[in-house]
């Protein structure tokens, strides 16, 4: 999964399913020095560079080579750069690492036992209803054939910190909800 944190809450995530997943760093079950964390116990942090200058943070999950992506955005900006709105601080995987100052030294740390880094539940909200979660294809993996179209990206519908909305998936979700509601009304 790839997850994007907005302030204190994960609002968007992408699932990477391991060896069978052609868009995953662990595609084909291939282990490298870089991706070995994806094969470690669930909850282990995987920090890696993208485009040679940004970092992304995944968390290993259940399954061989499976992971979830997370990301802090620097409050310090270059002189003359546009001022960021709060919702822009973490709305993307490398932005999260910038905002939270996640460095390569976080790689292979265990979220379950490490006293300096952890994830926790939002104390203000325990659960999310299924109707609030949009399921859509990943962003930026178009070159991975059928895997590019699988609905393995999930985000909270209507949340201002989501990096990119998928209007087609939202319309399809709304149509399914409307159909379900209509069927429920007929049975009452």
């Amino acid at each position: 999964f790839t997850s994007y944190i907005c302030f204190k809450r994960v609002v968007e995530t992408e699932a990477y399913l391991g060896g069978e997943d052609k868009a995953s760093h662990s595609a084909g079950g291939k282990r490298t020095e870089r991706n070995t964390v994806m094969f470690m116990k669930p909850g282990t942090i995987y920090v890696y560079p993208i485009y040679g200058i940004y970092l992304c943070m995944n968390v290993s999950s259940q399954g061989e080579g499976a992971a979830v992506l997370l990301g802090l955005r620097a409050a310090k900006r270059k002189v003359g750069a546009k001022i960021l709105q709060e919702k822009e601080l973490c709305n993307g995987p490398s932005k999260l690492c910038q905002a939270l100052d996640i460095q390569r030294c976080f790689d292979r740390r265990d979220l379950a036992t490490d006293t300096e880094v952890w994830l926790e539940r939002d104390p203000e909200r325990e659960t999310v209803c299924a109707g609030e979660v949009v399921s859509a294809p990943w962003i930026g993996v178009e070159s991975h054939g059928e895997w590019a179209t699988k609905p393995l990206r999930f985000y909270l519908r209507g949340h201002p910190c989501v990096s990119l909305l998928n209007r087609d998936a939202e319309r399809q979700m709304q149509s399914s909800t409307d159909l379900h509601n209509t069927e429920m009304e007929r049975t009452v």
Side-chain angles (χ1 to χ4, degrees):
F1 289 98
T2 300
S3 301
Y4 309 106
I5 295 176
C6 179
F7 309 112
K8 62 180 180 179
R9 185 169 191 208
V10 174
V11 299
E12 182 176 356
T13 189
E14 292 179 355
Y16 293 91
L17 304 180
E20 68 177 311
D21 183 341
K22 297 199 182 342
S24 175
H25 289 176
S26 61
K30 183 178 176 184
R31 290 181 192 223
T32 65
E33 180 59 31
R34 175 184 176 181
N35 78 0
T36 195
V37 174
M38 296 180 77
F39 297 91
M40 295 172 78
K41 76 177 189 170
T44 305
I45 297 173
Y46 171 35
V47 179
Y48 58 93
I50 59 168
Y51 308 122
I53 53 174
Y54 300 113
L55 293 175
C56 286
M57 179 176 134
N58 285 12
V59 177
S60 63
S61 61
Q62 276 190 307
E64 282 287 299
V68 176
L69 177 65
L70 303 176
L72 171 65
R73 185 94 187 260
K76 298 179 214 168
R77 308 269 296 158
K78 291 181 181 176
V79 176
K82 90 172 192 170
I83 296 173
L84 291 174
Q85 295 180 19
E86 282 186 351
K87 70 180 185 179
E88 296 175 307
L89 287 175
C90 299
N91 66 342
S94 65
K95 291 178 182 181
L96 177 65
C97 286
Q98 291 172 32
L100 298 174
D101 198 23
I102 302 295
Q103 301 297 315
R104 289 297 300 266
C105 62
F106 280 76
D107 194 44
R108 301 181 188 205
R109 291 176 80 169
D110 183 355
L111 287 170
T113 60
D114 197 306
T115 59
E116 296 177 4
V117 61
W118 65 90
L119 293 176
E120 58 187 58
R121 288 188 180 275
D122 181 345
E124 297 173 15
R125 189 161 181 189
E126 284 298 314
T127 60
V128 174
C129 298
E132 294 177 86
V133 179
V134 177
S135 178
W138 293 311
I139 300 170
V141 296
E142 292 78 18
S143 64
H144 295 287
E146 69 177 283
W147 284 90
T149 63
K150 293 189 181 284
L152 294 171
R153 176 174 168 251
F154 307 92
Y155 65 86
L156 291 180
R157 184 180 191 159
H159 200 285
C161 295
V162 171
S163 64
L164 185 64
L165 303 178
N166 185 308
R167 297 291 185 201
D168 290 338
E170 289 186 19
R171 276 190 289 275
Q172 185 176 12
M173 187 174 121
Q174 186 61 48
S175 294
S176 295
T177 301
D178 292 345
L179 180 62
H180 175 74
N181 290 341
T182 301
E183 289 174 4
M184 292 300 289
E185 287 172 5
R186 287 181 185 160
T187 61
V188 174

